[in-house]
Amino acid sequence: MAGTVQVDAVVVGAGMSGLYMVKRLTDMGLDVRAFEVGDNVGGTWYWNRYPGARVDLESFDYSFSFDDGLQQEWNWTERYAAQPEILKYLNHVADRFDLRKHFTFETRVESAAFDENRNLWIIKTSGGETVEAKYFISGAGVLSTPKPPEIEGLDNFRGKWYHTGRWPHEGVDFTGLRVAQIGTGSSGIQVAPVVAEQAKHLTVFQRTPVYCVPTDNYKLTEEMRNTVKAHYTERRETSRHNRYGVPAEFPTIKAFEVSEEDRRQKYEEAWGEKGHLLAFRMTYADVLADEAANKTVADFLGAKIREIVKDPVTAERLVPKTYPFGTKRPCLGIRFYEIFNEDHVDLVSLHETPIERITETGILTSDGTLHEVDVMVFATGYDALTGAILRMDITGRGHRKLRDKWKDGPRAYLGISTNEFPNFFMITGPLSPGPLNNMAVSIEQHVEWVSDCIKYMEKNGFATIEAQEQPEQEWFDHVQEVVGNTLYLKANSWYLGANVPGKPRVFIPYLGGAGTYRATCDEVAKNGYRGFTLEKSKVEA
Ligand code: NAP
């Protein structure tokens, strides 16, 4: 076909997944083309340039472990690195391993269709290119498709508005402006305190309050870095087998097996200097499974909010009451609750006074108040986990559309691959632990599994690999069974698709624990890719 390029593999995305995937495949000698919508590498950290953006797992752990030279030479400057430093790191990775040359930037993969006669994916891009490839791998990200603000009247607003996930590269100066911020998830709690520092007035519109733990961030010293680097190998190994991909042991003890005093002490530690994003989830084994155990954490955190926020009405609005702790993703923030003690910061509870519409000058709420502002910040989240994959028009065997197959929720064996779509792989795909785990660990595990699988196929002359229907259904049932034993279904979270109007309500990430999941994937591979069908080419068969 004129103008058609043939390669071994096409990779989508230049975030952590795409970068490492390209490295592994090109190291094997495969010819790879990779496409990225942004004009450079970085993925999440390319797009999320909002002020306050910062990783909420320790920088040492939210980074690649695959190359000891890389982890020894890179010097993280803060315990929780801010966005510019992580972006710099990912640029360093791209340069160090000479990966950039495989990427075509400012180009979206629009469609991918599997040609059954030739066992090839035909990929079309926004740049008008057609590329044929044996393997098609999505590293398009789990939180990369911003959810439209979906509030009536936004087009009428005469001021400027921004989404945290598409922040302008030149930044935004809020000095002297009246700002409305909608949304108080992980992005919202990070951006609000920084906007509050600059703005003349900030009104935070909150739909559901979150549990936000203070970030004990600090500058890392040479000595701290050296201590970690001396034991990096063990640290990484522990993380690979931990439930959440961090270097810690998951507790076996339950909340009511200790005294109230002991629990209180443990919670104070988790809130204080030992605190991190997962600290409360890892205090006791049953925090996310038993309502009474969960309530001990919720009560502790509620009391902390009431202690910090001076105005009792505002404090009450900020205390979550409608879902168990941890079933919506908790946040790590810097001075989030404290800003509500400042005269120029207001909180509007959208449960009490929902937004009626956006007007030319501001936000009209149901009590008739028009909150007049100059700028709006939408921290309203993403079409998570499936959004970026389904945005591409993917067609498998028998002209089957992925969008049709997943209309009642995603089905994917191990969250890696899906029946009727041979040689299509998803990095941190739906029904894998993905964002419930340290994403860096999830990404490395999937990239390594997929590239090992491709190596196996190439070595043994296989033309296709395809997830079988029954194991795929069994995996889906298993994911749902595991969540059924927890409290997670009690919250309207993006894990369930509940944040996107019309999205099927299915619990998407796998909650069985990242270490257990890794063992399952390894076992499948060791057993000749049990649950997958591997075929030599039709001509040879
Ligand atoms: P999010 O967690 O989905 O939060 C979106 C917020 O906007 C929620 O408060 C939501 O309320 C509200 N909202 C959504 N639509 C709305 C509407 N139409 N009207 C009013 N309010 C609305 O999104 P996010 O904060 O961007 O975070 C997404 C995920 O990205 C996080 O959970 C985390 O995994 C990741 N993240 C990580 C970091 C980090 O590592 N530091 C930082 C940012 C994000 P409801 O809760 O009622 O839906």
Side-chain angles (χ1 to χ4, degrees):
M1 196 189 294
T4 300
V5 180
Q6 273 215 3
V7 292
D8 296 310
V10 162
V11 174
V12 183
M16 284 182 111
S17 302
L19 286 172
Y20 188 32
M21 195 73 237
V22 166
K23 176 174 183 334
R24 289 281 291 206
L25 295 178
T26 52
D27 283 355
M28 280 162 53
L30 296 191
D31 194 6
V32 179
R33 286 289 301 276
F35 295 96
E36 163 60 50
V37 176
D39 68 5
N40 211 330
V41 302
T44 286
W45 303 100
Y46 170 93
W47 296 105
N48 282 269
R49 294 167 192 249
Y50 61 85
R54 184 180 289 284
V55 66
D56 53 17
L57 291 170
E58 292 197 44
S59 320
F60 287 126
D61 305 313
Y62 186 85
S63 54
F64 285 123
S65 74
F66 65 78
D67 187 286
D68 194 47
L70 171 66
Q71 67 187 10
Q72 292 296 334
E73 79 198 5
W74 186 261
N75 291 319
W76 292 108
T77 65
E78 290 184 274
R79 184 183 184 200
Y80 298 100
Q83 175 271 336
E85 187 172 10
I86 305 171
L87 187 58
K88 197 170 152 203
Y89 168 75
L90 294 174
N91 273 277
H92 171 72
V93 171
D95 292 336
R96 190 187 201 279
F97 300 106
D98 198 14
L99 301 174
R100 230 179 275 276
K101 64 185 180 206
H102 304 289
F103 284 86
T104 305
F105 293 101
E106 297 181 84
T107 304
R108 181 181 288 286
V109 167
E110 301 279 13
S111 67
F114 188 67
D115 179 340
E116 281 178 74
N117 296 319
R118 295 188 301 147
N119 289 331
L120 286 177
W121 281 95
I122 301 169
I123 288 122
K124 293 188 193 280
T125 74
S126 57
E129 243 190 308
T130 301
V131 183
E132 295 182 345
K134 180 170 174 183
Y135 305 105
F136 175 48
I137 303 153
S138 172
V142 297
L143 292 154
S144 51
T145 305
K147 193 171 76 82
E150 78 222 355
I151 299 171
E152 193 196 321
L154 182 56
D155 288 348
N156 301 330
F157 182 55
R158 284 203 303 252
K160 290 206 163 130
W161 67 269
Y162 307 93
H163 190 288
T164 47
R166 287 291 178 275
W167 205 258
H169 288 205
E170 64 279 12
V172 181
D173 182 5
F174 293 101
T175 310
L177 299 178
R178 297 163 305 165
V179 183
Q181 180 189 309
I182 299 96
T184 51
S186 302
S187 305
I189 61 94
Q190 288 188 329
V191 73
V194 187
V195 173
E197 268 172 30
Q198 295 176 4
K200 183 168 147 199
H201 194 274
L202 169 65
T203 311
V204 177
F205 292 81
Q206 168 192 271
R207 195 160 67 180
T208 312
V210 281
Y211 289 99
C212 180
V213 174
T215 314
D216 183 28
N217 190 35
Y218 43 75
K219 294 269 178 226
L220 295 169
T221 63
E222 193 65 26
E223 195 190 342
M224 288 171 180
R225 282 193 289 266
N226 288 343
T227 307
V228 169
K229 286 180 185 181
H231 302 284
Y232 232 149
T233 309
E234 302 91 286
R235 185 176 175 118
R236 299 294 202 179
E237 198 50 22
T238 311
S239 301
R240 285 186 193 111
H241 300 286
N242 170 269
R243 184 178 191 82
Y244 295 117
V246 292
E249 294 303 322
F250 192 75
T252 49
I253 196 160
K254 294 183 176 172
F256 292 110
E257 287 172 0
V258 301
S259 69
E260 195 179 338
E261 188 44 40
D262 285 356
R263 270 200 308 277
R264 182 158 190 89
Q265 196 183 328
K266 186 156 237 154
Y267 294 160
E268 285 292 353
E269 284 172 7
W271 177 267
E273 63 188 36
K274 288 195 185 158
H276 55 80
L277 178 69
L278 296 156
F280 279 95
R281 278 178 270 181
M282 298 209 298
T283 46
Y284 297 104
D286 53 349
V287 161
L288 287 162
D290 179 78
E291 281 199 55
N294 189 284
K295 190 169 178 306
T296 63
V297 175
D299 288 349
F300 176 89
L301 294 173
K304 286 287 182 198
I305 298 168
R306 292 181 184 102
E307 241 172 64
I308 299 169
V309 180
K310 304 283 177 261
D311 172 39
V313 176
T314 305
E316 245 8 85
R317 286 179 177 144
L318 286 163
V319 174
K321 298 187 181 85
T322 56
Y323 62 95
F325 163 79
T327 55
K328 277 169 92 78
R329 188 184 185 274
C331 310
L332 208 59
I334 298 177
R335 291 192 67 256
F336 173 62
Y337 294 121
E338 285 81 350
I339 61 172
F340 296 102
N341 293 331
E342 295 174 20
D343 290 342
H344 72 303
V345 180
D346 289 330
L347 180 73
V348 173
S349 163
L350 297 180
H351 278 300
E352 293 167 26
T353 52
I355 295 176
E356 294 257 303
R357 64 174 187 280
I358 294 173
T359 71
E360 287 183 356
T361 55
I363 296 182
L364 180 67
T365 46
S366 62
D367 57 348
T369 308
L370 176 62
H371 303 266
E372 293 206 308
V373 293
D374 306 302
V375 181
M376 291 185 196
V377 172
F378 290 92
T380 41
Y382 297 87
D383 181 355
L385 304 158
T386 53
I389 296 170
L390 290 179
R391 187 168 178 169
M392 298 181 277
D393 180 14
I394 301 176
T395 313
R397 278 194 294 109
H399 305 289
R400 179 75 151 144
K401 295 273 182 200
L402 191 62
R403 285 174 193 154
D404 292 337
K405 174 170 174 175
W406 285 7
K407 70 178 184 342
D408 298 323
R411 300 290 186 281
Y413 182 40
L414 303 173
I416 294 178
S417 198
T418 183
N419 177 251
E420 301 177 284
F421 297 80
N423 296 0
F424 168 51
F425 301 98
M426 294 165 287
I427 305 304
T428 65
L431 308 172
S432 75
L436 286 173
N437 188 30
N438 174 352
M439 278 300 279
V441 175
S442 286
I443 286 168
E444 281 195 331
Q445 187 236 333
H446 265 187
V447 167
E448 286 162 13
W449 194 96
V450 169
S451 51
D452 287 349
C453 172
I454 289 175
K455 191 183 273 175
Y456 176 85
M457 289 179 66
E458 292 300 296
K459 189 169 156 230
N460 294 290
F462 287 110
T464 55
I465 183 166
E466 182 179 348
Q468 293 164 8
E469 201 175 351
Q470 194 186 333
E472 179 168 298
Q473 186 56 44
E474 285 167 4
W475 180 254
F476 178 82
D477 295 343
H478 173 59
V479 172
Q480 304 310 311
E481 186 192 338
V482 173
V483 73
N485 296 326
T486 72
L487 303 172
Y488 276 88
L489 295 177
K490 292 184 181 288
N492 287 322
S493 65
W494 57 256
Y495 302 142
L496 258 173
N499 64 328
V500 176
K503 193 166 172 171
R505 201 180 164 95
V506 166
F507 197 85
I508 306 178
Y510 176 53
L511 268 172
T516 314
Y517 172 78
R518 176 185 293 268
T520 305
C521 293
D522 288 351
E523 213 241 327
V524 163
K526 267 197 208 101
N527 285 288
Y529 294 93
R530 195 187 56 223
F532 289 91
T533 302
L534 286 132
E535 281 187 349
K536 308 248 168 174
S537 80
K538 283 184 183 145
V539 183
E540 288 169 44

